[in-house]
Amino acid sequence: MQCVKQRLRRMLYGLSQLSQVLDTRLSKRVYHAYAQSVLQYGIIVWGGVSSASLEPLSVTQRTIIKKILKKEPRYPTSLLFSDFPVLNLRQLYIKTLLTYIRKHKIELLSNIQHNYQTRHRNNHGYSTPQLYHGIELRSSHYLAQIVYRNLPNDIREAESCSDVVYKRKLFKWLIGIGWAGTEGLLHSYAS
């Protein structure tokens, strides 16, 4: 993650200079092409770490967005992401994880093969892998089970749509639930 942060810090000056001559729409495209592509590279491996570990990288992401929008350094984060609707790091991780699950559902999610009622039948028919070490709680394989179980039905039903439609629905849903809702996807169990 330190390498990703350094690459983003090197882009900071160039992106702030480009924002002086580009409008917000074009600046957003440049952000997606350069900064977000760097953030997404390998995020499925390191994106499940704790919020405290992600914070230095999140600060860099917010700094870039503030430079693009020409905001002062103490501009509130809640307003920042509503002014410039892009996904924060955790939301990028969830989106990447869900698109990966969609393509590899058979390998990642193991079906429960019985008809009688057990407590695991509430997991939407998928069993959760058994953990042997505490560090596995942050692995993408385990978090994929948790996130998939916490998905609303309309997102689960959108899996049959095209890739573009599915990603668009994921983006709108993640923006709608915000930061707290995204963190809740990783820590809670849906009832």
Side-chain angles (χ1 to χ4, degrees):
M1 287 190 331
Q2 186 66 24
C3 177
V4 174
K5 181 182 165 190
Q6 288 173 352
R7 286 187 67 190
L8 288 174
R9 296 298 276 171
R10 281 187 230 126
M11 289 181 201
L12 195 56
Y13 178 75
L15 289 172
S16 67
Q17 292 301 308
L18 276 175
S19 69
Q20 302 297 324
V21 294
L22 299 176
D23 65 342
T24 306
R25 183 181 57 83
L26 290 174
S27 293
K28 189 173 179 183
R29 283 189 177 186
V30 171
Y31 169 82
H32 282 289
Y34 290 103
Q36 187 165 313
S37 65
V38 170
L39 287 171
Q40 279 185 295
Y41 183 74
I43 197 168
I44 202 161
V45 175
W46 54 263
V49 299
S50 67
S51 298
S53 298
L54 274 183
E55 189 56 27
L57 199 52
S58 295
V59 168
T60 306
Q61 181 193 27
R62 291 190 303 262
T63 304
I64 288 173
I65 295 171
K66 287 175 188 176
K67 293 286 185 185
I68 288 173
L69 292 176
K70 302 174 196 103
K71 301 292 183 186
E72 71 271 358
R74 302 209 28 103
Y75 191 74
T77 301
S78 58
L79 297 175
L80 182 69
F81 283 104
S82 63
D83 293 347
F84 195 73
V86 295
L87 300 177
N88 65 27
L89 281 176
R90 192 64 84 188
Q91 291 169 330
L92 276 174
Y93 173 67
I94 298 281
K95 181 182 172 208
T96 306
L97 192 60
L98 288 173
T99 54
Y100 185 80
I101 290 170
R102 181 177 180 227
K103 292 178 184 174
H104 301 88
K105 186 187 266 186
I106 295 170
E107 296 93 25
L108 284 174
L109 305 174
S110 54
N111 280 326
I112 297 175
Q113 300 294 329
H114 55 75
N115 295 327
Y116 46 90
Q117 200 59 299
T118 64
R119 65 178 174 237
H120 291 295
R121 291 302 283 179
N122 294 332
N123 297 341
H124 301 286
Y126 297 105
S127 65
T128 306
Q130 185 173 359
L131 301 178
Y132 298 103
H133 303 287
I135 196 163
E136 292 175 342
L137 285 171
R138 302 319 253 157
S139 74
S140 293
H141 181 69
Y142 179 75
L143 290 174
Q145 315 285 328
I146 303 299
V147 170
Y148 192 77
R149 190 175 316 137
N150 287 326
L151 283 181
N153 288 332
D154 58 332
I155 299 296
R156 231 186 246 119
E157 291 166 2
E159 288 179 345
S160 60
C161 300
S162 70
D163 284 346
V164 174
V165 172
Y166 182 68
K167 287 179 181 179
R168 197 172 293 145
K169 284 187 179 207
L170 274 180
F171 177 81
K172 288 180 182 177
W173 174 65
L174 287 168
I175 290 289
I177 64 172
W179 180 84
T182 306
E183 284 295 322
L185 286 173
L186 297 174
H187 300 295
S188 65
Y189 289 92
S191 53

